[in-house]
Amino acid sequence: MGVRKAVIPVAGMGTRLLPLTKSQPKEMLPVVDKPAIQYVVEEAIDAGIQSVLMVTGRGKRAIEDYFDHSIELEHELESHGKLDDLHAVQRISNMIQVYYVRQKLPRGLGDAVLQARAFIDGDPFAVLLADDIIDGPTPCLVQMQQVARRYPGMVVAVMEVPREQTSSYGIIEGTAVVPGVWEVTGLVEKPEPADAPSNLAIVGRYILTPGIFDAIEQTEPGKNGEVQLTDALQAMLPFKKVYACEFKGTRYDIGDQMGLLKANVALALKRPELAGDLRQFLSETLETIFD
Ligand code: UTP
């Protein structure tokens, strides 16, 4: 049986996007016509996930409201005969079973995942970071499940990054198994380029086994004073195999200004109803600027 539960940590402060994220969660920022987190929830659903636990924190109420029913709004839309809008908002609340738990202090991604222990209750599970939108022919989590079925163990999604960017990611060291799959032999959080064991960076998708919780509990705060999931995975390597799946697709880090802009432009250009006008606007704007 595949993975049926997912954890989406959304308790981070989103400081890279300030002031945009001063009073709204970065996960709710618009990407074309949906909040970023909806892309990630839809990916989870496409991969067969049946229930999601969101690890929330201060100032994240908007996320809970978004996936909840809005009785007043639904009533208003119904009474005005706006049935398309009504079905659109109902679809969001009915998408999937969502549970919430609070991370009391943003102590890092590892600590956020630890809050899911009771919910996970001994099953393998997925972790999806809501600030990584991955667009590809097959959802990234589906690609990872294919790897997990063939190579039992845990799976992290990786992509190649330029050497000078290794200090922004968890970086793996691994032995190639087949093209696009590595058996991980080491993981380092945010190494300087000179110390990085490779240029294969972990992005925000993981398939984990419940043993990770004990490992996180024993993990001291690492880079930036945060409890790092990467460090807990490194500690588990002698006991549990970890595989890296180089996914096919494009990843947008919407927690970063440029990533958010790129996601909006690239995903709008894929929408037939928007692409024509947007292309024309972009080429006219480029001509005006470089005239
Ligand atoms: P990031 O480091 O990208 O998120 O964490 P951040 O801390 O919100 O962003 P900046 O660097 O301040 O701009 C990756 C993911 O882990 C979650 C974040 O919400 C994000 O989805 N996270 C991080 C938590 O849930 N809790 C934490 O303590 C830290």
Side-chain angles (χ1 to χ4, degrees):
M1 197 179 91
V3 174
R4 294 287 172 259
K5 290 181 180 173
V7 177
I8 304 186
V10 295
M13 306 253 277
T15 52
R16 281 171 296 156
L17 285 176
L18 282 170
L20 211 51
T21 46
K22 186 178 172 213
S23 61
Q24 67 176 330
K26 67 175 164 185
E27 297 81 6
M28 290 301 294
L29 291 173
V31 176
V32 191
D33 58 356
K34 296 187 277 198
I37 193 163
Q38 190 169 333
Y39 290 85
V40 177
V41 170
E42 286 172 349
E43 179 186 330
I45 294 169
D46 288 346
I49 297 295
Q50 291 169 351
S51 54
V52 162
L53 177 76
M54 296 204 188
V55 183
T56 68
R58 284 173 174 278
K60 301 286 177 159
R61 261 291 295 278
I63 299 175
E64 295 182 42
D65 288 343
Y66 188 74
F67 288 102
D68 196 2
H69 279 285
S70 172
I71 304 299
E72 303 82 358
L73 175 64
E74 289 176 28
H75 183 261
E76 186 76 7
L77 293 172
E78 194 167 14
S79 62
H80 286 85
K82 296 186 172 171
L83 297 186
D84 286 350
D85 289 339
L86 175 67
H87 296 146
V89 298
Q90 284 176 334
R91 192 181 77 81
I92 296 159
S93 343
N94 294 331
M95 251 179 191
I96 192 168
Q97 190 67 46
V98 187
Y99 301 85
Y100 299 91
V101 65
R102 284 281 276 227
Q103 184 189 21
K104 289 184 183 149
L105 285 171
R107 291 202 190 93
L109 177 59
D111 182 70
V113 171
L114 186 58
Q115 310 309 312
R117 186 174 211 151
F119 169 79
I120 293 305
D121 193 26
D123 298 320
F125 64 104
V127 174
L128 299 97
L129 302 191
D131 42 12
D132 276 339
I133 293 180
I134 300 177
D135 179 48
T138 308
C140 180
L141 192 56
V142 172
Q143 299 179 45
M144 294 169 73
Q145 303 236 46
Q146 287 162 356
V147 171
R149 268 195 287 277
R150 207 160 154 204
Y151 304 102
M154 300 197 278
V155 182
V156 296
V158 295
M159 66 177 197
E160 282 191 9
V161 295
R163 271 268 159 189
E164 60 275 18
Q165 290 178 16
T166 57
S167 61
S168 302
Y169 296 92
I171 300 291
I172 66 141
E173 178 175 41
T175 315
V177 181
V178 288
V181 180
W182 285 262
E183 184 179 334
V184 175
T185 51
L187 305 97
V188 198
E189 185 62 29
K190 299 185 174 57
E192 290 306 319
D195 306 324
S198 75
N199 65 339
L200 288 169
I202 303 174
V203 301
R205 301 289 183 274
Y206 306 77
I207 293 176
L208 303 176
T209 49
I212 194 73
F213 295 119
D214 281 346
I216 295 172
E217 259 176 357
Q218 286 154 25
T219 300
E220 296 291 328
K223 275 276 154 67
N224 303 335
E226 296 189 339
V227 178
Q228 299 288 353
L229 184 57
T230 311
D231 294 343
L233 284 166
Q234 167 69 27
M236 282 189 78
L237 281 183
F239 316 106
K240 194 88 196 168
K241 285 196 187 293
V242 178
Y243 292 92
C245 162
E246 190 179 15
F247 61 92
K248 294 188 176 62
T250 308
R251 171 253 190 184
Y252 301 99
D253 176 7
I254 68 94
D256 166 87
Q257 238 167 31
M258 184 52 76
L260 182 62
L261 276 173
K262 283 182 180 173
N264 270 290
V265 174
L267 297 179
L269 284 171
K270 291 183 79 173
R271 298 274 291 267
E273 74 280 19
L274 299 174
D277 283 355
L278 183 55
R279 264 174 200 280
Q280 193 178 340
F281 169 75
L282 289 173
S283 70
E284 282 168 7
T285 307
L286 286 170
E287 270 172 31
T288 320
I289 290 173
F290 294 108
D291 245 2

